[in-house]
Every structure is written in structure tokens, then in C-alpha cells.
Amino acid sequence: MRKIIIDTDPGIDDALAILLALSAKEELEVLALTTVNGNVDIEKVTKNAFKILDVAGRRDIPVYKGNSKPLMRENSMPADCHGDDGLGNIGMEESGRVPEEESAADFLIRKAREEKGEITLVPIGPLTNIAEAIQKDPEFVKNIKEVVIMGGAIHEGNVTPHAEFNFWVDPEAAKIVFQAGFEKIVMVGLDATRYVWLDPALRELLYQINTPVSRFIHKVTRVYADAHWGYGQKLGCELCDVLVTAYLLDTSVLETTDAFVDVETQGLCDGASVVYPIWKYGDRQKNCEAAVKADTKKFFEIFFGYLFPEYLENVKKIQG
Ligand code: RIB
Ligand code: CA
């Protein structure tokens, strides 16, 4: 059983990543959600975190509100693929719950100290809260077991030719995280997430499964799929954050390479993750495992296998 804290900016793919994590009750203990400005502003992402927990029937899980802006720069534009409310504009009812008093960073520091060496950090938004915790507590890095991040890219970005959204929003924070000296970082970037594409047939299966959760996922991905069609006339949508949860459930879903990663914080390539594979740059000091590829079939078998196990055979038939 892994004890995890998901640091998130929900966000449609964040929502699916959280729902998958909550469905894996034997494998993952979700201690809390911490929210961070990213896809939409901090108020909206925090409200969305509660709405997602309501969909999962997990009002017992606390939410800690984090940073409303990047560490050292003004706010960026919100993402343009999650809807104005950040959760597909499907008109969900407010949860009525409020975040804990403690800030996200203070909670991360306290929990890491209380459960030394036990906690897997799962940042699936900009890394502002993580960087703040590193700066506030010299012991924080040592107290954390591992960090599995959705962010970055070895080859191509999605906001600029070189920068992926989560690192682009707060490059200084990303740089701090990769330089901090964590025992283990896994960087799940766009080179891998491009393999986890929810195509129309699998999305239609969600509709036909016809449970509250499956219908929520079908509905909330409407806006996300529309945005992806706008980007490049490809039907479906990329489930970036969800690949992090799938990795936690079955590490063989990813192919990774030992790497040294640094993040650019200025100029033309601002926000770019510069990835040196150690096999090629032997003089560099490894600071993470960078994902180079994902197994599409295995990913969707994990996704549907945990959330809707009775439909696994349908998934295998659809994927061929
Ligand atoms: O680049 C992908 C990341 O930014 C994901 O975390 C997703 O939520 C998007 O907004
Ligand atoms: Ca996200």
C-alpha cells in the first residue's frame, strides 16, 4: 500500500487521475489533496477538488489549499482546454466543504515529518507548493519517499515548442524540485502521455457503462475532447495526469530512462525541461527517471480494470 498525497490543479485529466487513485483501495491510500493554481485559479481548482471527491463519495478526504500564483512570477494564462470552471463547464453542484486551515505547503511539511520516508508525492499540476515546502523545511526532501510528477517533455512541449504546461506555469518551482535531491523522482512527461489517448470508442464505452462515475467521466471529457479537436483535428483527448496514477498501480506501463533534468527559467525556451539521458551524457548526475514511452493497451486495461472491472473484456475487444 502506497501512502500518497496528490498535488493538483483540477483540471479534467486531474479529475480522472484522482478517481482512478481512489478506486485502487488496496494499492493506494490517498491521504489528502493539495491544490495549486494552474489550469484555473486557486479558488476554482479547490472547489473542483471537492466536487471530484463528492463524485467518488470520499468526503472524508481533506483538501489543503495552496499557492494562488507561481513562486517568483506573476500569474500565467489559465489552460484553455478544461472549461471556464476547470471541470468541463458541466454545471456541477458546489460541495459545500471548505479547505483545511493549514496551507498546502505546511501540510506537506508536517505530514512528511509525521510519516518519514512513507509518503509518495504525486504532483499533477505546477510545482509551486512542492517548491515552497522545500524552501520552508530543510528536512522535507529527506522525509519524502518518492515524487511521481506529471510534467515536462523530452522532445516537444504543449504550450511552446519546448515547454509543457505544468513546468511553463512555474519554471522556477520546477527547477527547485529537480535540484532538491529527492531520493526518487519519476518525470512523466508528454513523450509518454501522448500514448494515453482516450479515443471515441473508449469514451463511448464510458457512456454505455452508465454508472454515476462513468457518466461523469464521459460528460467532463466533452470540453476536453473539443479542445483537442481544435488543436489538431484528432478525435479524443490526452489523459496526461492519469498516466501518473496508472504508473503507481503498475510501473510496467511506463518505459523510463535514467536522466539529469534541469528547467529553463528565461528566454525563448522558458519553462522547458532539458533532459540529459545518462546513457548518452555520462558526466551528468542522475536526478530522475524520465518517461520515454507508455503502453497504451496496458494503460486502458489499468484505467478500466480498476474503475469498471466488469467491462475489461469490452476494453480488450475495442483495443484489439
Ligand atoms: O501538460 C499537461 C498538464 O497540464 C496536465 O497536468 C493537465 O492538467 C494540463 O493542464
Ligand atoms: Ca493537472
Side-chain angles (χ1 to χ4, degrees):
M1 173 78 87
R2 267 189 169 104
K3 291 183 178 183
I4 72 171
I5 297 170
I6 303 175
D7 189 70
T8 179
D9 63 334
I12 293 168
D13 58 330
D14 301 69
L16 276 57
I18 293 164
L19 289 173
L20 178 59
L22 293 171
S23 73
K25 294 182 171 49
E26 301 304 313
E27 295 79 4
L28 302 175
E29 182 186 358
V30 180
L31 298 176
L33 301 183
T34 52
T35 59
V36 64
N37 161 73
N39 284 318
V40 286
D41 69 45
I42 191 64
E43 299 308 329
K44 289 180 181 176
V45 298
T46 304
K47 283 194 178 121
N48 292 342
F50 286 119
K51 290 175 184 175
I52 297 159
L53 292 172
D54 283 354
V55 170
R58 293 301 305 274
R59 293 174 70 90
D60 58 304
I61 293 181
V63 174
Y64 294 82
K65 189 167 145 188
N67 281 278
S68 59
K69 61 183 279 301
L71 218 50
M72 304 172 195
R73 52 176 78 192
E74 284 318 303
N75 235 332
S76 62
M77 290 297 291
D80 61 359
C81 53
H82 298 272
D84 298 338
D85 69 355
L87 215 47
N89 294 338
I90 60 174
M92 286 183 74
E93 242 173 74
E94 298 298 340
S95 156
R97 293 178 63 199
V98 292
E100 304 300 311
E101 277 300 304
E102 204 173 13
S103 75
D106 289 345
F107 164 73
L108 291 170
I109 289 168
R110 175 174 61 82
K111 207 66 187 161
R113 195 176 296 137
E114 288 169 1
E115 316 232 9
K116 241 187 245 325
E118 295 287 313
I119 291 178
T120 295
L121 267 191
V122 185
I124 52 175
L127 291 165
T128 316
N129 294 338
I130 315 303
E132 184 190 354
I134 293 167
Q135 289 184 323
K136 280 182 102 166
D137 176 10
E139 299 300 307
F140 177 67
V141 170
K142 268 207 338 264
N143 291 341
I144 290 291
K145 179 181 173 189
E146 60 188 346
V147 191
V148 187
I149 298 169
M150 192 282 133
I154 300 173
H155 298 105
E156 196 180 340
N158 59 2
V159 181
T160 74
H162 295 284
E164 175 278 328
F165 180 80
N166 289 336
F167 288 14
W168 174 81
V169 168
D170 196 343
E172 286 77 14
K175 189 180 190 71
I176 287 169
V177 169
F178 280 92
Q179 290 183 340
F182 282 106
E183 176 66 24
K184 177 179 175 185
I185 294 180
V186 179
M187 182 185 106
V188 183
L190 298 175
D191 312 83
T193 62
R194 65 192 181 90
Y195 287 89
V196 294
W197 188 271
L198 180 69
D199 71 18
L202 288 173
R203 187 165 172 271
E204 177 59 20
L205 175 60
L206 288 162
Y207 185 84
Q208 297 308 336
I209 288 171
N210 194 17
T211 66
V213 172
S214 80
R215 283 293 172 97
F216 166 78
I217 296 173
H218 180 265
K219 212 167 169 190
V220 83
T221 49
R222 172 70 277 147
V223 158
Y224 201 45
D226 292 348
H228 282 77
W229 173 256
Y231 297 150
Q233 278 74 53
K234 186 178 173 192
L235 294 173
C237 48
E238 189 172 339
L239 301 187
C240 301
D241 294 337
V242 196
L243 184 53
V244 170
T245 310
Y247 169 82
L248 294 173
L249 296 172
D250 180 348
T251 57
S252 70
V253 74
L254 278 188
E255 185 186 321
T256 64
T257 185
D258 288 349
F260 168 76
V261 173
D262 197 352
V263 180
E264 183 53 85
T265 56
Q266 60 183 342
L268 200 52
C269 297
D270 189 29
S273 45
V274 184
V275 181
Y276 296 78
I278 299 302
W279 66 266
K280 194 169 176 186
Y281 300 94
D283 59 331
R284 294 286 173 165
Q285 181 74 35
K286 171 187 171 182
N287 64 358
C288 84
E289 295 168 38
V292 293
K293 195 170 179 224
D295 181 327
T296 305
K297 284 188 179 175
K298 185 170 284 193
F299 170 81
F300 283 106
E301 286 176 12
I302 294 167
F303 183 72
F304 281 88
Y306 275 93
L307 279 164
F308 315 109
E310 58 279 32
Y311 291 90
L312 195 48
E313 285 319 305
N314 302 77
V315 175
K316 289 181 178 169
K317 243 188 259 153
I318 290 170
Q319 295 207 104

